[in-house]
PDB file of all heavy atoms in Angstrom:
ATOM      1  N   GLU A   1       0.828  -1.206   0.000  1.00  0.00           N
ATOM      2  CA  GLU A   1       0.000   0.000   0.000  1.00  0.00           C
ATOM      3  C   GLU A   1       0.864   1.258   0.000  1.00  0.00           C
ATOM      4  O   GLU A   1       0.554   2.234  -0.683  1.00  0.00           O
ATOM      5  CB  GLU A   1      -0.936   0.006   1.214  1.00  0.00           C
ATOM      6  CG  GLU A   1      -2.000  -1.066   1.183  1.00  0.00           C
ATOM      7  CD  GLU A   1      -1.490  -2.458   1.561  1.00  0.00           C
ATOM      8  OE1 GLU A   1      -0.396  -2.581   2.200  1.00  0.00           O
ATOM      9  OE2 GLU A   1      -2.149  -3.433   1.190  1.00  0.00           O
ATOM     10  N   ALA A   2       1.944   1.248   0.741  1.00  0.00           N
ATOM     11  CA  ALA A   2       2.845   2.400   0.779  1.00  0.00           C
ATOM     12  C   ALA A   2       3.525   2.592  -0.571  1.00  0.00           C
ATOM     13  O   ALA A   2       3.667   3.721  -1.056  1.00  0.00           O
ATOM     14  CB  ALA A   2       3.885   2.228   1.878  1.00  0.00           C
ATOM     15  N   ALA A   3       3.927   1.502  -1.206  1.00  0.00           N
ATOM     16  CA  ALA A   3       4.545   1.595  -2.524  1.00  0.00           C
ATOM     17  C   ALA A   3       3.555   2.164  -3.535  1.00  0.00           C
ATOM     18  O   ALA A   3       3.904   3.024  -4.352  1.00  0.00           O
ATOM     19  CB  ALA A   3       5.045   0.223  -2.970  1.00  0.00           C
ATOM     20  N   GLU A   4       2.310   1.727  -3.474  1.00  0.00           N
ATOM     21  CA  GLU A   4       1.280   2.256  -4.368  1.00  0.00           C
ATOM     22  C   GLU A   4       1.014   3.729  -4.090  1.00  0.00           C
ATOM     23  O   GLU A   4       0.755   4.507  -5.013  1.00  0.00           O
ATOM     24  CB  GLU A   4       0.000   1.440  -4.233  1.00  0.00           C
ATOM     25  CG  GLU A   4       0.133   0.034  -4.787  1.00  0.00           C
ATOM     26  CD  GLU A   4      -1.056  -0.848  -4.484  1.00  0.00           C
ATOM     27  OE1 GLU A   4      -1.906  -0.474  -3.639  1.00  0.00           O
ATOM     28  OE2 GLU A   4      -1.139  -1.928  -5.095  1.00  0.00           O
ATOM     29  N   GLN A   5       1.080   4.126  -2.835  1.00  0.00           N
ATOM     30  CA  GLN A   5       0.842   5.514  -2.443  1.00  0.00           C
ATOM     31  C   GLN A   5       1.821   6.473  -3.129  1.00  0.00           C
ATOM     32  O   GLN A   5       1.449   7.588  -3.499  1.00  0.00           O
ATOM     33  CB  GLN A   5       0.957   5.644  -0.925  1.00  0.00           C
ATOM     34  CG  GLN A   5       0.754   7.031  -0.384  1.00  0.00           C
ATOM     35  CD  GLN A   5       0.995   7.079   1.114  1.00  0.00           C
ATOM     36  OE1 GLN A   5       1.028   6.056   1.790  1.00  0.00           O
ATOM     37  NE2 GLN A   5       1.162   8.267   1.637  1.00  0.00           N
ATOM     38  N   LEU A   6       3.050   6.043  -3.313  1.00  0.00           N
ATOM     39  CA  LEU A   6       4.040   6.886  -3.981  1.00  0.00           C
ATOM     40  C   LEU A   6       3.573   7.292  -5.375  1.00  0.00           C
ATOM     41  O   LEU A   6       3.763   8.433  -5.796  1.00  0.00           O
ATOM     42  CB  LEU A   6       5.377   6.163  -4.088  1.00  0.00           C
ATOM     43  CG  LEU A   6       6.156   5.980  -2.795  1.00  0.00           C
ATOM     44  CD1 LEU A   6       7.330   5.051  -3.024  1.00  0.00           C
ATOM     45  CD2 LEU A   6       6.624   7.323  -2.264  1.00  0.00           C
ATOM     46  N   TRP A   7       2.975   6.359  -6.096  1.00  0.00           N
ATOM     47  CA  TRP A   7       2.548   6.632  -7.467  1.00  0.00           C
ATOM     48  C   TRP A   7       1.357   7.566  -7.533  1.00  0.00           C
ATOM     49  O   TRP A   7       1.157   8.237  -8.551  1.00  0.00           O
ATOM     50  CB  TRP A   7       2.249   5.322  -8.193  1.00  0.00           C
ATOM     51  CG  TRP A   7       3.494   4.533  -8.387  1.00  0.00           C
ATOM     52  CD1 TRP A   7       3.887   3.408  -7.706  1.00  0.00           C
ATOM     53  CD2 TRP A   7       4.556   4.844  -9.281  1.00  0.00           C
ATOM     54  NE1 TRP A   7       5.117   3.008  -8.135  1.00  0.00           N
ATOM     55  CE2 TRP A   7       5.559   3.871  -9.104  1.00  0.00           C
ATOM     56  CE3 TRP A   7       4.769   5.848 -10.214  1.00  0.00           C
ATOM     57  CZ2 TRP A   7       6.742   3.867  -9.836  1.00  0.00           C
ATOM     58  CZ3 TRP A   7       5.947   5.848 -10.945  1.00  0.00           C
ATOM     59  CH2 TRP A   7       6.912   4.864 -10.753  1.00  0.00           C
ATOM     60  N   GLN A   8       0.565   7.635  -6.469  1.00  0.00           N
ATOM     61  CA  GLN A   8      -0.609   8.510  -6.474  1.00  0.00           C
ATOM     62  C   GLN A   8      -0.234   9.989  -6.478  1.00  0.00           C
ATOM     63  O   GLN A   8      -1.042  10.838  -6.833  1.00  0.00           O
ATOM     64  CB  GLN A   8      -1.514   8.185  -5.278  1.00  0.00           C
ATOM     65  CG  GLN A   8      -1.974   6.745  -5.218  1.00  0.00           C
ATOM     66  CD  GLN A   8      -2.498   6.217  -6.545  1.00  0.00           C
ATOM     67  OE1 GLN A   8      -3.321   6.856  -7.190  1.00  0.00           O
ATOM     68  NE2 GLN A   8      -1.999   5.063  -6.970  1.00  0.00           N
ATOM     69  N   ALA A   9       1.005  10.298  -6.128  1.00  0.00           N
ATOM     70  CA  ALA A   9       1.464  11.693  -6.116  1.00  0.00           C
ATOM     71  C   ALA A   9       1.774  12.199  -7.529  1.00  0.00           C
ATOM     72  O   ALA A   9       1.951  13.397  -7.720  1.00  0.00           O
ATOM     73  CB  ALA A   9       2.710  11.819  -5.235  1.00  0.00           C
ATOM     74  N   LEU A  10       1.832  11.288  -8.505  1.00  0.00           N
ATOM     75  CA  LEU A  10       2.164  11.670  -9.873  1.00  0.00           C
ATOM     76  C   LEU A  10       0.903  11.772 -10.738  1.00  0.00           C
ATOM     77  O   LEU A  10      -0.029  10.985 -10.584  1.00  0.00           O
ATOM     78  CB  LEU A  10       3.096  10.640 -10.510  1.00  0.00           C
ATOM     79  CG  LEU A  10       4.459  10.445  -9.873  1.00  0.00           C
ATOM     80  CD1 LEU A  10       5.226   9.349 -10.609  1.00  0.00           C
ATOM     81  CD2 LEU A  10       5.248  11.736  -9.869  1.00  0.00           C
ATOM     82  N   THR A  11       0.911  12.717 -11.647  1.00  0.00           N
ATOM     83  CA  THR A  11      -0.178  12.824 -12.612  1.00  0.00           C
ATOM     84  C   THR A  11       0.011  11.757 -13.683  1.00  0.00           C
ATOM     85  O   THR A  11       1.112  11.226 -13.851  1.00  0.00           O
ATOM     86  CB  THR A  11      -0.182  14.212 -13.286  1.00  0.00           C
ATOM     87  OG1 THR A  11       1.009  14.330 -14.087  1.00  0.00           O
ATOM     88  CG2 THR A  11      -0.263  15.336 -12.270  1.00  0.00           C
ATOM     89  N   PRO A  12      -1.035  11.460 -14.444  1.00  0.00           N
ATOM     90  CA  PRO A  12      -0.864  10.502 -15.548  1.00  0.00           C
ATOM     91  C   PRO A  12       0.232  10.934 -16.530  1.00  0.00           C
ATOM     92  O   PRO A  12       0.976  10.097 -17.037  1.00  0.00           O
ATOM     93  CB  PRO A  12      -2.237  10.487 -16.213  1.00  0.00           C
ATOM     94  CG  PRO A  12      -3.184  10.830 -15.105  1.00  0.00           C
ATOM     95  CD  PRO A  12      -2.436  11.840 -14.260  1.00  0.00           C
ATOM     96  N   GLU A  13       0.339  12.226 -16.781  1.00  0.00           N
ATOM     97  CA  GLU A  13       1.372  12.725 -17.687  1.00  0.00           C
ATOM     98  C   GLU A  13       2.768  12.470 -17.120  1.00  0.00           C
ATOM     99  O   GLU A  13       3.697  12.116 -17.850  1.00  0.00           O
ATOM    100  CB  GLU A  13       1.174  14.220 -17.945  1.00  0.00           C
ATOM    101  CG  GLU A  13      -0.088  14.550 -18.713  1.00  0.00           C
ATOM    102  CD  GLU A  13      -1.354  14.545 -17.864  1.00  0.00           C
ATOM    103  OE1 GLU A  13      -1.278  14.591 -16.601  1.00  0.00           O
ATOM    104  OE2 GLU A  13      -2.448  14.477 -18.450  1.00  0.00           O
ATOM    105  N   GLN A  14       2.930  12.677 -15.818  1.00  0.00           N
ATOM    106  CA  GLN A  14       4.223  12.415 -15.182  1.00  0.00           C
ATOM    107  C   GLN A  14       4.565  10.932 -15.244  1.00  0.00           C
ATOM    108  O   GLN A  14       5.703  10.567 -15.528  1.00  0.00           O
ATOM    109  CB  GLN A  14       4.221  12.908 -13.738  1.00  0.00           C
ATOM    110  CG  GLN A  14       4.211  14.409 -13.609  1.00  0.00           C
ATOM    111  CD  GLN A  14       4.002  14.859 -12.176  1.00  0.00           C
ATOM    112  OE1 GLN A  14       3.152  14.339 -11.465  1.00  0.00           O
ATOM    113  NE2 GLN A  14       4.786  15.841 -11.764  1.00  0.00           N
ATOM    114  N   LYS A  15       3.588  10.077 -14.987  1.00  0.00           N
ATOM    115  CA  LYS A  15       3.827   8.633 -15.060  1.00  0.00           C
ATOM    116  C   LYS A  15       4.247   8.227 -16.464  1.00  0.00           C
ATOM    117  O   LYS A  15       5.146   7.408 -16.639  1.00  0.00           O
ATOM    118  CB  LYS A  15       2.580   7.851 -14.651  1.00  0.00           C
ATOM    119  CG  LYS A  15       2.257   7.921 -13.179  1.00  0.00           C
ATOM    120  CD  LYS A  15       1.023   7.097 -12.894  1.00  0.00           C
ATOM    121  CE  LYS A  15       0.503   7.312 -11.515  1.00  0.00           C
ATOM    122  NZ  LYS A  15      -0.723   6.545 -11.258  1.00  0.00           N
ATOM    123  N   GLN A  16       3.616   8.817 -17.461  1.00  0.00           N
ATOM    124  CA  GLN A  16       3.933   8.481 -18.840  1.00  0.00           C
ATOM    125  C   GLN A  16       5.363   8.879 -19.195  1.00  0.00           C
ATOM    126  O   GLN A  16       6.001   8.245 -20.030  1.00  0.00           O
ATOM    127  CB  GLN A  16       2.950   9.161 -19.779  1.00  0.00           C
ATOM    128  CG  GLN A  16       3.084   8.730 -21.210  1.00  0.00           C
ATOM    129  CD  GLN A  16       1.998   9.329 -22.082  1.00  0.00           C
ATOM    130  OE1 GLN A  16       1.350  10.302 -21.723  1.00  0.00           O
ATOM    131  NE2 GLN A  16       1.808   8.735 -23.240  1.00  0.00           N
ATOM    132  N   ALA A  17       5.888   9.893 -18.526  1.00  0.00           N
ATOM    133  CA  ALA A  17       7.237  10.383 -18.814  1.00  0.00           C
ATOM    134  C   ALA A  17       8.334   9.582 -18.103  1.00  0.00           C
ATOM    135  O   ALA A  17       9.509   9.762 -18.403  1.00  0.00           O
ATOM    136  CB  ALA A  17       7.340  11.852 -18.432  1.00  0.00           C
ATOM    137  N   VAL A  18       7.955   8.706 -17.167  1.00  0.00           N
ATOM    138  CA  VAL A  18       8.948   7.932 -16.420  1.00  0.00           C
ATOM    139  C   VAL A  18       9.622   6.930 -17.360  1.00  0.00           C
ATOM    140  O   VAL A  18       8.957   6.118 -17.999  1.00  0.00           O
ATOM    141  CB  VAL A  18       8.297   7.194 -15.221  1.00  0.00           C
ATOM    142  CG1 VAL A  18       9.294   6.258 -14.557  1.00  0.00           C
ATOM    143  CG2 VAL A  18       7.740   8.194 -14.220  1.00  0.00           C
ATOM    144  N   GLU A  19      10.937   7.007 -17.435  1.00  0.00           N
ATOM    145  CA  GLU A  19      11.695   6.101 -18.302  1.00  0.00           C
ATOM    146  C   GLU A  19      12.334   4.957 -17.523  1.00  0.00           C
ATOM    147  O   GLU A  19      12.503   3.866 -18.052  1.00  0.00           O
ATOM    148  CB  GLU A  19      12.786   6.873 -19.031  1.00  0.00           C
ATOM    149  CG  GLU A  19      12.227   7.902 -19.998  1.00  0.00           C
ATOM    150  CD  GLU A  19      13.308   8.683 -20.698  1.00  0.00           C
ATOM    151  OE1 GLU A  19      14.497   8.290 -20.629  1.00  0.00           O
ATOM    152  OE2 GLU A  19      12.969   9.703 -21.320  1.00  0.00           O
ATOM    153  N   ALA A  20      12.715   5.217 -16.267  1.00  0.00           N
ATOM    154  CA  ALA A  20      13.371   4.190 -15.451  1.00  0.00           C
ATOM    155  C   ALA A  20      13.115   4.483 -13.981  1.00  0.00           C
ATOM    156  O   ALA A  20      12.932   5.634 -13.588  1.00  0.00           O
ATOM    157  CB  ALA A  20      14.867   4.169 -15.723  1.00  0.00           C
ATOM    158  N   VAL A  21      13.106   3.414 -13.192  1.00  0.00           N
ATOM    159  CA  VAL A  21      12.921   3.531 -11.746  1.00  0.00           C
ATOM    160  C   VAL A  21      13.992   2.691 -11.068  1.00  0.00           C
ATOM    161  O   VAL A  21      14.155   1.510 -11.381  1.00  0.00           O
ATOM    162  CB  VAL A  21      11.523   3.032 -11.317  1.00  0.00           C
ATOM    163  CG1 VAL A  21      11.327   3.199  -9.824  1.00  0.00           C
ATOM    164  CG2 VAL A  21      10.417   3.748 -12.087  1.00  0.00           C
ATOM    165  N   ALA A  22      14.732   3.303 -10.154  1.00  0.00           N
ATOM    166  CA  ALA A  22      15.765   2.590  -9.401  1.00  0.00           C
ATOM    167  C   ALA A  22      15.205   2.173  -8.050  1.00  0.00           C
ATOM    168  O   ALA A  22      14.709   3.018  -7.295  1.00  0.00           O
ATOM    169  CB  ALA A  22      16.987   3.480  -9.208  1.00  0.00           C
ATOM    170  N   VAL A  23      15.266   0.884  -7.778  1.00  0.00           N
ATOM    171  CA  VAL A  23      14.730   0.338  -6.528  1.00  0.00           C
ATOM    172  C   VAL A  23      15.563  -0.857  -6.095  1.00  0.00           C
ATOM    173  O   VAL A  23      16.342  -1.406  -6.867  1.00  0.00           O
ATOM    174  CB  VAL A  23      13.259  -0.128  -6.680  1.00  0.00           C
ATOM    175  CG1 VAL A  23      12.330   1.029  -6.931  1.00  0.00           C
ATOM    176  CG2 VAL A  23      13.107  -1.169  -7.755  1.00  0.00           C
ATOM    177  N   ASP A  24      15.353  -1.270  -4.834  1.00  0.00           N
ATOM    178  CA  ASP A  24      15.963  -2.526  -4.418  1.00  0.00           C
ATOM    179  C   ASP A  24      15.103  -3.665  -4.979  1.00  0.00           C
ATOM    180  O   ASP A  24      14.179  -3.431  -5.748  1.00  0.00           O
ATOM    181  CB  ASP A  24      16.152  -2.585  -2.905  1.00  0.00           C
ATOM    182  CG  ASP A  24      14.851  -2.581  -2.110  1.00  0.00           C
ATOM    183  OD1 ASP A  24      13.794  -2.963  -2.655  1.00  0.00           O
ATOM    184  OD2 ASP A  24      14.882  -2.207  -0.934  1.00  0.00           O
ATOM    185  N   ARG A  25      15.379  -4.863  -4.605  1.00  0.00           N
ATOM    186  CA  ARG A  25      14.726  -6.017  -5.226  1.00  0.00           C
ATOM    187  C   ARG A  25      13.442  -6.438  -4.513  1.00  0.00           C
ATOM    188  O   ARG A  25      12.940  -7.541  -4.724  1.00  0.00           O
ATOM    189  CB  ARG A  25      15.722  -7.187  -5.275  1.00  0.00           C
ATOM    190  CG  ARG A  25      16.958  -6.809  -6.090  1.00  0.00           C
ATOM    191  CD  ARG A  25      17.900  -7.959  -6.274  1.00  0.00           C
ATOM    192  NE  ARG A  25      17.314  -8.854  -7.261  1.00  0.00           N
ATOM    193  CZ  ARG A  25      16.926 -10.092  -7.006  1.00  0.00           C
ATOM    194  NH1 ARG A  25      17.075 -10.619  -5.820  1.00  0.00           N
ATOM    195  NH2 ARG A  25      16.399 -10.833  -7.945  1.00  0.00           N
ATOM    196  N   TRP A  26      12.868  -5.561  -3.698  1.00  0.00           N
ATOM    197  CA  TRP A  26      11.664  -5.899  -2.951  1.00  0.00           C
ATOM    198  C   TRP A  26      10.495  -6.068  -3.917  1.00  0.00           C
ATOM    199  O   TRP A  26      10.163  -5.168  -4.694  1.00  0.00           O
ATOM    200  CB  TRP A  26      11.388  -4.815  -1.911  1.00  0.00           C
ATOM    201  CG  TRP A  26      10.334  -5.153  -0.919  1.00  0.00           C
ATOM    202  CD1 TRP A  26      10.259  -6.273  -0.140  1.00  0.00           C
ATOM    203  CD2 TRP A  26       9.215  -4.352  -0.574  1.00  0.00           C
ATOM    204  NE1 TRP A  26       9.161  -6.226   0.675  1.00  0.00           N
ATOM    205  CE2 TRP A  26       8.496  -5.041   0.417  1.00  0.00           C
ATOM    206  CE3 TRP A  26       8.740  -3.130  -1.004  1.00  0.00           C
ATOM    207  CZ2 TRP A  26       7.329  -4.544   0.991  1.00  0.00           C
ATOM    208  CZ3 TRP A  26       7.592  -2.634  -0.434  1.00  0.00           C
ATOM    209  CH2 TRP A  26       6.902  -3.345   0.553  1.00  0.00           C
TER     210      TRP A  26
END
């Protein structure tokens, strides 16, 4: 739920512009 919450802060246009995401292997 917390991981999903991060994405709610972005607009659809911002999400569409995301090219890469750096994360651990969780």
Side-chain angles (χ1 to χ4, degrees):
E1 293 78 19
E4 291 172 347
Q5 179 184 344
L6 289 170
W7 293 105
Q8 303 313 311
L10 298 178
T11 66
E13 293 79 16
Q14 290 171 315
K15 289 181 190 178
Q16 188 174 18
V18 173
E19 295 179 13
V21 182
V23 293
D24 65 23
R25 300 185 75 244
W26 191 53

